[in-house]
Each structure stands twice: as C-alpha cells, then as structure tokens.
Amino acid sequence: MDTREREVVASVAQYGWTAIGVDERRPSYVYSVGLAFSADHPEIIVCGLPQEGYLLLKLVVTLVAGGESFASPGIYTNILNDVPLAVRPVHPTQAPRTLEYASAECDRRGRPDLLQAIQIFWPDDAGRYPFDADCDPAVAELQPRLDLALIELTEHEMCR
C-alpha cells in the first residue's frame, strides 16, 4: 500500500469517507470513497468542476449523512439552491477505472461487489444535461457519460 492509499484508508476510518480529486485526467473530477460502508450509499462522482466539484460533493455527502439518498436516477432540486442536478448510476464497466481508490477500498474490505457509484450531472444554461440531445457541447465535454458501458477493444480491433 503506497502513501496515498494509506492516507485514504486513514481518512475513511476517521471520517467515514474522503474525497479524491483527479486533476491529471481531462476533464478533471472528484469522487467519494467510503460511502458504501459508512452510509450504505453508492459513491458519488462529479466531473468538470475543478473548484466547485469538491463543494458539491461535500454538500451531497452531508445530505446523505443526514439520511437522504441519491441512489435512484432522476433530477434532484433539493441539493443546490433549487438548481436541478441529474443523477445517473455509473455503469459497472466504468467504476473500477474511474473510482480507483473506491475500488481499492472495496477490495481491501473483501467486498468488491459493493463498488457502485452515481454521477451527478449539472445542466447547461438552457437546463439540458449531457444525455440530452441539444446539450451545449462545451458542457457535455466536461461531463463524460459514465452511465454508459465502457467498450473495450481487443488488440486485434485496435489495429484495424
């Protein structure tokens, strides 16, 4: 276990969860680790909001700690001052690659089956989300569709 992993384990043990920021990928994103165990709730990921992502994640985790659930897909207006935020489940093929520390935490506890996550989508200026056909392309580009299956190409297919 490397230093960062030890820090994550210690933070989850102390607080019940921690936030992981991933800035080296584009778009950047932030996600939770530990909610599956401390709150019986899927992990949460927010993409494309480098500064505000942490605050949004913390707000949602606070609501979860207070008994609310965002595990069901839909539009939620009770998170951020009546700004409608969409929630969709992260596809199982996306979760291990995108939420690496959450995956490691589940593995460490012997419960890889608990790796589940939701993605919070924020709307463009017209109120559309990346899964809507007319969403602003700049907004859609910042929020990859983690609710869709990751298609893995075989070596043979990549060479075509």
Side-chain angles (χ1 to χ4, degrees), residues 45-69:
I45 184 168
V46 179
C47 299
L49 296 173
Q51 304 298 324
E52 302 89 348
Y54 282 102
L55 298 174
L56 180 55
L57 179 64
K58 186 176 180 181
L59 178 60
V60 175
V61 170
T62 300
L63 292 169
V64 168
E68 295 202 43
S69 177

Side-chain angles (χ1 to χ4, degrees), residues 36-144:
F37 301 98
S38 66
D40 192 27
H41 192 278
E43 301 300 345
I44 302 163
I45 184 168
V46 179
C47 299
L49 296 173
Q51 304 298 324
E52 302 89 348
Y54 282 102
L55 298 174
L56 180 55
L57 179 64
K58 186 176 180 181
L59 178 60
V60 175
V61 170
T62 300
L63 292 169
V64 168
E68 295 202 43
S69 177
F70 302 97
S72 297
I75 305 293
Y76 292 85
T77 57
N78 62 330
I79 298 173
L80 186 63
N81 299 326
D82 295 327
V83 172
L85 297 173
V87 170
R88 294 253 174 119
V90 173
H91 194 276
T93 59
Q94 297 271 17
R97 289 183 171 188
T98 309
L99 296 97
E100 293 162 353
Y101 286 101
S103 179
E105 181 70 7
C106 289
D107 289 347
R108 187 182 72 76
R109 293 183 183 222
R111 294 299 310 270
D113 58 304
L114 289 184
L115 181 61
Q116 296 178 11
I118 58 165
Q119 181 177 4
I120 296 182
F121 290 96
W122 41 276
D124 65 13
D125 290 338
R128 294 177 298 240
Y129 302 93
F131 46 82
D132 294 329
D134 296 334
C135 183
D136 179 336
V139 170
E141 185 177 328
L142 291 172
Q143 300 179 87

Side-chain angles (χ1 to χ4, degrees), residues 22-29 50 141-142 144:
V22 180
D23 296 324
E24 62 275 1
R25 295 188 191 163
R26 293 292 171 238
S28 62
Y29 59 95
E141 185 177 328
L142 291 172

Side-chain angles (χ1 to χ4, degrees), residues 6-19:
R6 282 193 297 279
E7 291 171 355
V8 169
V9 168
S11 186
V12 169
Q14 183 172 358
Y15 302 107
W17 77 285
T18 194

